[in-house]
Amino acid sequence: MVFSSNPLALSVPEPAFESWLRDSGYLDILDHRSSSSSAAAASSSSSSNPTLTSSVTPAAGFFVSLFSHLATLLSLFTLNPFAKLTADDFSGDTPSWSRSFVGFCGSYSFPSSASQARLRVQENIKRYARNYAYLFILFFACTLYKMPIALVGLISCLALWDFFKFFSDRWGLDKYPVTRQCLLRLAQCATAVILVYSNVQMALFCALSVSYTGMVLHAAFRKLAPAKQPSVVREHCAYNVEFRGQVLA
């Protein structure tokens, strides 16, 4: 051996290193690292098999890339995007719509693998939970605007329950539990009939479908934004990740 082993050197396994990146909040570095590693793996495989590269036609390469992208897109709808979502994510401040949520042109890229898409979806939904909730309310309002009968049915249901509460307090139905229970069941049946005949469930289904699809696609294509970490520590971590990637390559 030319160099003697350094007893003070620290060797960190790959799973432990990625776990440290997740726990420390450097998910944007992990996102960039997974994209770079996929590109490096593809280039190394093509350079190691020159005969295979020369035999593959441009049309075949296009179809392989197309099917790979389709598989990545289909994998988005097979995962659970709310796996890391908690109630505390809705209690904080709403991220900025322009800089944080929408970002810039360089804030989007196609996920290089299904694992990277899963990482982006789960973390972005956790970060922008309030934004997605407001977008669902907006889509639902637009759907009710396009379906006025559903809007009338929803308002009728709200008015029905307001009348029930008003007359329940005025007549003192709490003293007559049997009568109050019968009227309550009658109001529930009337609400179900109004909702079904006014197609409120269809409006809700359309709003959920559009908002869910838009949420998953935005979260998958949106790059992970850097967390608010000290700049010196972030630069040091980024340098270590880049150096480690060069060594592993």
Side-chain angles (χ1 to χ4, degrees):
M1 295 180 61
V2 181
F3 298 100
S4 59
S5 59
N6 186 3
L8 299 178
L10 178 62
S11 179
V12 182
E14 282 296 310
F17 183 63
E18 292 185 0
S19 177
W20 179 84
L21 287 175
R22 293 175 184 270
D23 297 338
S24 302
Y26 297 105
L27 293 172
D28 54 321
I29 298 178
L30 185 60
D31 183 21
H32 176 72
R33 182 172 177 268
S34 61
S35 179
S36 301
S37 62
S38 299
S43 61
S44 62
S45 61
S46 61
S47 61
S48 60
N49 297 320
T51 57
L52 180 61
T53 305
S54 59
S55 60
V56 174
T57 61
F62 170 76
F63 282 109
V64 169
S65 177
L66 178 62
F67 285 128
S68 176
H69 285 67
L70 289 178
T72 303
L73 288 177
L74 290 177
S75 67
L76 297 176
F77 297 95
T78 59
L79 57 91
N80 182 15
F82 310 107
K84 297 185 178 181
L85 190 64
T86 59
D88 297 334
D89 298 326
F90 295 95
S91 60
D93 298 333
T94 305
S96 174
W97 289 90
S98 58
R99 290 180 296 178
S100 298
F101 184 74
V102 178
F104 305 96
C105 295
S107 302
Y108 298 89
S109 67
F110 197 93
S112 59
S113 61
S115 60
Q116 186 185 27
R118 186 182 301 108
L119 173 66
R120 288 183 178 181
V121 168
Q122 293 178 351
E123 294 299 331
N124 282 328
I125 288 178
K126 185 177 179 65
R127 293 183 183 184
Y128 309 119
R130 293 174 62 90
N131 301 86
Y132 294 131
Y134 287 139
L135 285 179
F136 167 71
I137 297 174
L138 178 62
F139 289 147
F140 187 57
C142 294
T143 306
L144 291 177
Y145 177 77
K146 291 293 185 180
M147 302 174 64
I149 298 179
L151 178 60
V152 173
L154 186 61
I155 295 176
S156 302
C157 292
L158 295 177
L160 175 64
W161 284 103
D162 284 339
F163 281 127
F164 176 80
K165 185 177 183 302
F166 173 75
F167 288 110
S168 177
D169 296 337
R170 184 176 181 179
W171 295 340
L173 294 180
D174 295 336
K175 301 178 182 179
Y176 309 97
V178 178
T179 305
R180 186 178 186 277
Q181 194 71 17
C182 293
L183 292 177
L184 180 63
R185 293 291 182 264
L186 183 62
Q188 290 177 347
C189 294
T191 302
V193 171
I194 293 174
L195 291 178
V196 170
Y197 279 94
S198 58
N199 284 332
V200 177
Q201 73 279 3
M202 184 60 64
L204 183 61
F205 175 76
C206 294
L208 281 174
S209 301
V210 174
S211 59
Y212 181 82
T213 304
M215 177 188 67
V216 171
L217 292 179
H218 175 269
F221 286 92
R222 180 70 166 86
K223 293 181 181 178
L224 292 177
K228 294 183 179 180
Q229 300 279 351
S231 59
V232 177
V233 178
R234 177 164 292 278
E235 290 176 1
H236 178 68
C237 180
Y239 172 76
N240 289 338
V241 170
E242 183 178 0
F243 177 74
R244 185 183 181 88
Q246 292 177 358
V247 172
L248 292 176

